[in-house]
Amino acid sequence: MRSDAMKKGLQRAPHRALFKAMGYTNDELARPIIGIANSRNELIPGHIHLGNIAEAVKAGVRMGGGTPMEFSTIGICDGIAMGHSGMKYSLASRELIADSIEVMASAYPFDGLVLIANCDKIIPGMLMSALRLNIPAIFISGGPMLSGCLQGKKIDLISVFEGVGKCSSGKLSKKELEEIEDYACPGAGSCAGMFTANSMNCLAEALGLALPGNGTIPAVSGRRIRLAKEAGLAIMNLIEKGIKPRDIATIEGFENTISCEMALGSSTNTVLHLPAIAKEAGLKLDLAVFDRISRKTPNLCRLSPAGGHHLEDLDMAGGVPAVLAELSKKRLIHKEVLTVTGKTVGENIKGKVILNQEVIRQLTNPYSEDGGIAILFGSLAPNGACVKKSGVDPKMMKHTGPARCFDSEEEAQEAILGGKIQKGDVVVIRYEGPKGGPGMREMLAPTSAIVGVGLDKDVALLTDGRFSGGTRGAAIGHISPEAVEGGPIAIIQETDIIEIDIPERRLQLKLTKKEIEKRLSRLTIKKKKINGYLARYASAVTSASKGAVYQD
């Protein structure tokens, strides 16, 4: 066993003495040692209950004949970090989480790892560490939050963000906004729509590194606790069979995951995280792969914010297994890929069917013939950009309008709420990329403000930053190269004409090539004064088109 390096033999008597100081017995130390990486804290609603999940996982490990040893990681709630300087640290925390688990699993040579998280950057950070270490590992989430309900209508966190814009424009009173605030998030779990956390929880399942049901079983369900126990048992099976993460997360496994992503209409943040996870397995996922799969994969689901359904609805409709089974009918799924069940994807989805065709549509009746995320290229985004196509109003699939330029999220938010943005405008927010932000902040506040003031069918928003999975509207992010690296987004001037053509995957700055080159040659980059971790992060991070990973 890998853990023998720290516990077996005469020379490890001092090590065993230290374990015994914590109450471990000889019998416990003789068993496989399972590291339990738990990101539970009292700052994230999706993580507040992860102590219960960890206890269930540990029960499963013990039932399987192992000894669990728990340690913690950091975690940031993007919703609470949103709209202020705290959001600069969210994406940057992904690398810290991956590094911290690598450190713990190397200092303590565990025989296997169970990774427990539920939100945003914590999930990909954990999956990155699993592939980097490549020891038997399984991911288990805490499950999605139930949707809220107010006056008989389902609501969620995005209802609150959009309510701010409505309140600012006089469409909603402060008392009405407070009511939405009180009922939108009813309890523990990752926020109820197909936002980044739930997107990643579902995609971890599609990738095969989490058990079926991981992405959709509600946080408050007894099924969630049972699944956590099954994850504890499964890690023991993975150790016995010698199955490691890179045996599962192959290029075919990632293609399955992207197909599922397109069918679900996931968060655009997945376009950052999947390449970063793949890189740890020695695999390359560039934007061309996402574009190729998007063009041939139908969009089958429209969950909040793109539609009225939530994660509990997806769960009752058959969940991720039903989506994969439906896609497999069009040979969009590699069924031979191995998973943490010890079985293949094909074996896992055999007999799975859609139980509610309003929530998961059939291939014969998709929302669109192509995927929920589109990759755009053009003179404004030579290295690419992305948009959650499933959340864009049909009227805005093609749009040409004058640029309104802002060098920070705060400036744009003030202009939107101040009534300074008009129908037809294209709001440009720059110097918010991985290096320039630094940290690539999510722009949920300004996009929600645009929706709230009633301009989402008339105004587009472009940024070298990124968007929450809760964003809807013609919100195009990850524009690469970013402004601080001298990308064309940095040279846009007020009222320059921008052309957006999502069906044709184009994003153009309507200037001549000669004018673009002239402006770029005269460009003065605006750099921010930063220190501490953000300075180190900015010096090491790469472009959004490469997953915002650290340079090799």
Side-chain angles (χ1 to χ4, degrees), residues 373-433:
I373 294 176
I375 307 300
L376 313 182
F377 294 93
S379 60
L380 184 46
N383 294 344
C386 64
V387 60
K388 189 169 182 175
K389 176 177 162 286
S390 58
V392 180
D393 187 270
K395 181 182 174 183
M396 291 298 291
M397 287 293 180
K398 293 185 178 183
H399 180 77
T400 300
R404 303 295 309 280
C405 301
F406 305 94
D407 291 339
S408 72
E409 176 189 1
E410 288 84 356
E411 292 174 29
Q413 178 78 343
E414 184 179 349
I416 295 164
L417 295 179
K420 297 178 181 178
I421 302 301
Q422 307 301 317
K423 288 185 176 182
D425 286 349
V426 178
V427 176
V428 177
I429 305 178
R430 57 196 173 194
Y431 293 101
E432 291 285 9

Side-chain angles (χ1 to χ4, degrees), residues 459-513:
V459 168
L461 191 152
L462 314 182
T463 182
D464 53 7
R466 59 193 177 92
F467 296 109
S468 161
T471 293
R472 59 173 164 155
I476 299 169
H478 304 197
I479 292 176
S480 300
E482 60 176 293
V484 81
E485 291 191 313
I489 191 172
I491 63 167
I492 302 173
Q493 296 176 4
E494 197 78 2
T495 73
D496 279 348
I497 300 301
I498 293 172
E499 180 184 56
I500 299 164
D501 190 332
I502 295 173
E504 294 299 321
R505 300 333 198 236
R506 284 201 308 268
L507 183 60
Q508 298 287 120
L509 177 58
K510 300 297 284 182
L511 298 173
T512 65
K513 184 178 179 181

Side-chain angles (χ1 to χ4, degrees), residues 120-166:
D120 299 292
K121 312 311 157 297
I122 305 109
I123 303 163
M126 288 191 165
L127 295 178
M128 288 165 67
S129 70
L131 287 164
R132 184 184 303 173
L133 290 161
N134 202 35
I135 62 175
I138 187 170
F139 175 76
I140 174 73
S141 81
M145 183 187 293
L146 296 176
S147 58
C149 186
L150 182 62
Q151 297 176 0
K153 181 182 178 182
K154 282 189 174 184
I155 59 173
D156 56 38
L157 179 65
I158 304 311
S159 308
V160 191
F161 271 100
E162 294 180 358
V164 172
K166 292 178 181 178

Side-chain angles (χ1 to χ4, degrees), residues 96-120:
L96 284 175
I97 291 162
D99 289 351
S100 67
I101 295 172
E102 176 199 351
V103 166
M104 290 298 286
S106 299
Y108 300 90
F110 301 124
D111 297 299
L113 272 174
V114 181
L115 307 163
I116 306 173
N118 213 25
C119 292
D120 299 292

Side-chain angles (χ1 to χ4, degrees), residues 234-252:
I235 189 63
M236 303 309 298
N237 183 52
L238 292 171
I239 292 169
E240 182 181 348
K241 292 186 175 182
I243 298 173
K244 298 176 181 179
R246 294 186 195 177
D247 299 324
I248 294 168
T250 60
I251 192 64
E252 292 80 12

Side-chain angles (χ1 to χ4, degrees), residues 254-263 293 297 327 332-333:
F254 278 102
E255 288 183 352
N256 285 349
T257 307
I258 296 171
S259 294
C260 184
E261 169 187 46
M262 297 304 169
I293 295 175
T297 307
L327 292 175
L332 293 169
I333 297 297

Side-chain angles (χ1 to χ4, degrees), residues 269-330:
N269 280 318
T270 58
V271 180
L272 282 175
H273 299 320
L274 292 179
I277 296 164
K279 181 178 182 290
E280 298 291 352
L283 303 172
K284 184 179 180 182
L285 279 186
D286 58 27
L287 293 182
V289 177
F290 287 85
D291 185 49
R292 171 174 59 83
I293 295 175
S294 174
R295 288 175 184 270
K296 67 178 183 179
T297 307
N299 179 217
L300 305 180
C301 301
R302 290 280 170 95
L303 278 71
S304 176
H309 299 125
H310 293 82
L311 265 290
E312 69 254 35
D313 302 311
L314 180 60
D315 185 57
M316 290 186 287
V320 172
V323 173
L324 296 177
E326 187 67 13
L327 292 175
S328 70
K329 295 177 183 178
K330 198 177 176 182

